[in-house]
Amino acid sequence: MDRASGKAKAESQGLDFDVVVVGAGFAGLATLHRLRDQMGYSVRVIEAGSAAGGTWYWNRYPGARCDVESLQYSMSISPEVDQEWNWTERFAAQPEILEYTQFLVDKMDFAKDIEFNTRVASAAFDESDNSWTVTTQGGDSLRCRWLVMAAGPLSTPNLPDFPGLDSFEGEVYHTGAWPKEEVSFKGKRVAQIGTGSSGVQIAQEIAKHATKHYVLQRTAHHIIPAANRPINPGEQEEVKKRYRELRDMWQATPGATSYQSLPSNPSIVPGDKSVLEVSPEERREIFDNAWNYGGYAFHRSFNDLLKSTEASTLANEYIAERILEIVSDPAAAEKLVPKQFYGTKRVILDTNYYSIFNQENVELIDVREDPIERITPAGIQTASGKLYEVDMIVCATGFDAMTGSLTRMDIHGRGGAVLRDVWKGGPESYLGIMVTGFPGMFIVGGPQSCSALANVIVANEQQAEWICDCIGYLDKNGYTSIEPTSKAQSDWVEHVNELADGTIYTKGPSWYSGANIEGKPRTFLLYVAGYPTYTKTCNDVAEKGYEGFELDRAKAVN
Ligand code: N01
């Protein structure tokens, strides 16, 4: 089917487009490319931002940086872009990732099929002809056959309900919705709430400029050095020559990423040993090597840090020693030592975080010991009555992860059922891609997929490709609807939970299980068996004629 006939097909069925895609992050762009350029469909992408980039568009806070090596954090859709684009650092900063995205958009001529500055308010399934109507906040509607939700697993900011926040007389920002205009910390008293990945990254920038910087920490997270650096001479050229082969190699790992960009780089961790089987001296040496090498070498240093509480405890002990070495105030150092098992919360890469606590302008406030009670016009007041007077509050309080971008839209499925109500007791999906009762609506990076536990670009491309191939199969065979059976969906959810129960991930609260949002049901949101197993499972389902799905051709239009 060429593009023109694709459009003609939609029009002949009284539809505006064959497919509407919500979101122009990497997931939306991958979907657009496959459907439009490779399969000839008519596609409209709807994007709330004024440019593509998804999470990298909104998370433009100072210090934002990727924690996957930049040479591995790229889309595979254009060999030309692979060759023309140059990364400057081992871990790319947000502005560079956004520039890369724009480069890709221009090269692939994506913008003409994206409606920017437009937020989707609702989507409704029409049982009379198996179509979807997508309505924007501006009131425009589009009818399509297939709907792809690519709105992002970590894109709906979580702003806790701090009493009195509206009364604050200074500036308030959320890292996940950072303004485009420059925000200056210079000469200001700044309080930041939250010390997850976003908080740790922005803290290093605030500390450079603020006259007073209060870091309000509820939980000490695990933070390991990124050891960011310019890309080594020759490294990028070598990767460019071997992109195809290296991508295959990276994708054969559980996280679809290796801690090294090249196999010829020195391999400094065994990776396949248990931390419990080596002597204390060998353990120390391996941890030291990994810590100094930076990136996720530490995470991969042994094979059981994320599986056994004993192993995780040994990692904790090592990290505690390093913190106590860096931070000179013993009381602050003790508070910065993580108390939960290594890996229960997402492990963070940093550059200089612990050493900011040696600066005179930086003060660590333990808000687990003395919780935030209210925000006053002058600052933040804690339960003990202490008032931290500030000019600016930075909320680095995370996201309504995996489900927020979907539940904030009014999505009506079969019988008018609303997705947010259907998921009241916890989200359920099949493969993280479709939901029973919402026929023809696909999700990239949905709950119970492996997306946010893997190299997200790679995971997005895999899911987008699977979804597009599924759409192609359905059209070719005259089906106008697909949805998972209730049994396939409940079996998948059970399987995902069983897998998670065998790991460290469920041994403490985190956004992985919805525990970061008050009132959100606790259910494990990610598939933990790794990218290769996930991909194989999805492919097996497709090869078996979309096993676990009900396909319907009864209501074919025309
Ligand atoms: O959010 P988080 P994030 N009072 O949920 C605290 C990705 N990411 O935006 O831990 C006081 O991790 C909360 O405390 P606690 C990455 O996948 C990647 O930092 O719940 N504090 C926590 O400290 C990451 O995992 C990069 O006790 C409150 C913090 O706010 C995910 O996004 C960069 C509070 C939230 O931490 C989310 O990271 C950035 C309250 N009422 C993000 N409510 C890369 O490097 C919350 N907190 C690629």
Side-chain angles (χ1 to χ4, degrees):
M1 201 195 310
D2 62 20
R3 283 202 66 199
S5 65
K7 176 80 182 163
K9 183 174 172 226
E11 277 169 6
S12 74
Q13 296 186 345
L15 303 171
D16 297 298
F17 292 93
D18 295 320
V19 188
V20 168
V21 178
V22 180
F26 291 118
L29 299 182
T31 310
L32 173 60
H33 169 63
R34 183 103 177 143
L35 288 173
R36 185 194 74 176
D37 302 337
Q38 298 182 327
M39 300 170 78
Y41 279 95
S42 63
V43 185
R44 173 51 52 105
V45 181
I46 303 179
E47 166 56 50
S50 64
T55 200
W56 295 109
Y57 174 92
W58 300 104
N59 284 267
R60 51 180 75 225
Y61 58 86
R65 187 177 288 284
C66 189
D67 59 5
V68 174
E69 296 222 4
S70 49
L71 290 169
Q72 298 174 38
Y73 196 75
S74 63
M75 293 188 80
S76 66
I77 58 178
S78 165
E80 212 184 7
V81 170
D82 280 351
Q83 295 308 313
E84 289 178 22
W85 180 258
N86 288 310
W87 295 104
T88 61
E89 292 178 276
R90 180 180 178 194
F91 296 101
Q94 176 272 341
E96 188 166 58
I97 301 173
L98 214 51
E99 270 176 51
Y100 164 76
T101 314
Q102 193 55 47
F103 185 74
L104 198 71
V105 166
D106 293 342
K107 276 273 167 192
M108 307 297 284
D109 203 10
F110 281 147
K112 66 174 186 241
D113 292 305
I114 306 175
E115 202 170 315
F116 291 108
N117 301 307
T118 307
R119 194 175 277 284
V120 169
S122 66
F125 180 64
D126 183 340
E127 290 183 58
S128 70
D129 64 358
N130 286 346
S131 68
W132 278 90
T133 300
V134 177
T135 305
T136 68
Q137 281 186 347
D140 293 331
S141 288
L142 289 177
R143 280 183 76 229
C144 58
R145 163 77 53 236
W146 311 111
L147 176 60
V148 180
M149 292 296 188
L154 289 159
S155 56
T156 303
N158 164 43
L159 184 59
D161 188 14
F162 296 117
L165 185 59
D166 286 348
S167 72
F168 181 60
E169 285 171 355
E171 302 161 73
V172 181
Y173 302 100
H174 192 291
T175 45
W178 201 259
K180 283 186 184 164
E181 302 73 39
E182 197 194 337
V183 173
S184 171
F185 306 124
K186 210 168 178 180
K188 293 183 184 155
R189 299 162 302 168
V190 181
Q192 76 166 82
I193 305 172
T195 53
S197 307
S198 309
V200 163
Q201 290 184 334
I202 200 168
Q204 296 163 62
E205 296 302 313
I206 300 171
K208 278 183 202 159
H209 307 288
T211 48
K212 185 74 198 175
H213 178 192
Y214 297 108
V215 180
L216 276 63
Q217 171 191 281
R218 192 166 64 180
T219 305
H221 292 233
H222 289 89
I223 304 160
I224 54 182
N228 189 30
R229 54 164 170 78
I231 293 207
N232 287 335
E235 195 176 12
Q236 183 142 226
E237 291 64 32
E238 182 73 11
V239 170
K240 283 185 181 188
K241 272 191 226 146
R242 301 170 57 196
Y243 248 129
R244 244 197 134 90
E245 168 210 342
L246 291 172
R247 281 206 172 101
D248 285 349
M249 190 191 83
W250 299 326
Q251 286 177 30
T253 67
T257 173
S258 156
Y259 72 87
Q260 300 164 302
S261 37
L262 284 170
S264 54
N265 285 354
S267 182
I268 43 89
V269 296
D272 56 352
K273 279 189 187 172
S274 160
V275 68
L276 306 169
E277 77 184 59
V278 298
S279 67
E281 295 71 31
E282 193 182 348
R283 182 169 73 232
R284 174 81 201 196
E285 189 186 335
I286 292 167
F287 275 153
D288 276 349
N289 284 343
W291 186 270
N292 296 331
Y293 188 88
Y296 281 112
F298 190 85
H299 211 54
R300 306 278 160 77
S301 53
F302 294 98
N303 64 12
D304 50 356
L305 298 188
L306 298 176
K307 289 186 189 141
S308 119
T309 51
E310 258 178 296
S312 170
T313 302
L314 291 171
N316 267 13
E317 286 171 8
Y318 176 85
I319 292 174
E321 272 182 47
R322 302 308 300 250
I323 296 170
L324 298 173
E325 272 165 28
I326 302 168
V327 180
S328 47
D329 169 8
E334 186 45 47
K335 285 187 195 311
L336 289 164
V337 168
K339 312 297 182 290
Q340 73 279 15
F341 290 117
Y342 176 88
T344 46
K345 285 180 189 285
R346 163 87 174 228
V347 172
I348 301 169
L349 300 190
D350 86 318
T351 297
N352 194 30
Y353 181 67
Y354 289 123
S355 56
I356 66 170
F357 296 97
N358 296 332
Q359 291 178 209
E360 293 221 327
N361 63 332
V362 180
E363 191 176 334
L364 183 67
I365 311 295
D366 184 342
V367 290
R368 184 163 306 275
E369 206 173 81
D370 185 12
I372 297 170
E373 189 159 274
R374 61 175 50 259
I375 313 284
T376 74
I380 299 178
Q381 189 183 311
T382 56
S384 69
K386 177 126 180 79
L387 176 66
Y388 297 95
E389 289 189 44
V390 289
D391 306 301
M392 185 192 291
I393 298 174
V394 171
C395 298
T397 43
F399 301 93
D400 184 356
M402 307 304 293
T403 55
S405 62
L406 295 163
T407 53
R408 76 171 165 182
M409 289 181 260
D410 293 326
I411 303 177
H412 299 263
R414 195 182 287 292
V418 179
L419 186 67
R420 93 168 67 81
D421 297 336
V422 171
W423 279 358
K424 242 190 185 121
E428 298 207 336
S429 79
Y430 180 39
L431 303 174
I433 292 180
M434 290 201 95
V435 182
T436 308
F438 295 80
M441 182 186 85
F442 299 87
I443 307 167
V444 189
Q448 288 114 14
S449 72
C450 74
S451 70
L453 280 186
N455 181 342
V456 171
I457 289 200
V458 175
N460 281 343
E461 287 196 322
Q462 176 268 336
Q463 285 189 319
E465 198 169 306
W466 190 94
I467 289 167
C468 298
D469 290 351
C470 176
I471 289 173
Y473 173 89
L474 296 168
D475 279 336
K476 194 168 147 223
N477 292 286
Y479 295 109
T480 56
S481 158
I482 179 171
E483 71 178 295
T485 64
S486 314
K487 174 155 176 28
Q489 179 166 285
S490 54
D491 286 352
W492 180 253
V493 173
E494 201 182 315
H495 174 57
V496 167
N497 283 317
E498 265 171 25
L499 289 171
D501 282 343
T503 68
I504 214 81
Y505 292 118
T506 51
K507 306 287 182 284
S510 71
W511 64 257
Y512 296 150
S513 55
N516 64 325
I517 306 285
E518 224 181 301
K520 187 165 172 170
R522 302 277 178 102
T523 174
F524 203 76
L525 295 167
L526 288 152
Y527 176 84
V528 301
Y531 175 83
T533 315
Y534 177 77
T535 304
K536 182 172 178 328
T537 307
C538 292
N539 291 346
D540 287 349
V541 165
E543 270 162 33
K544 290 180 190 157
Y546 295 92
E547 188 178 50
F549 289 97
E550 264 168 28
L551 279 52
D552 177 21
R553 47 163 75 94
K555 290 173 188 145
V557 186
N558 297 327

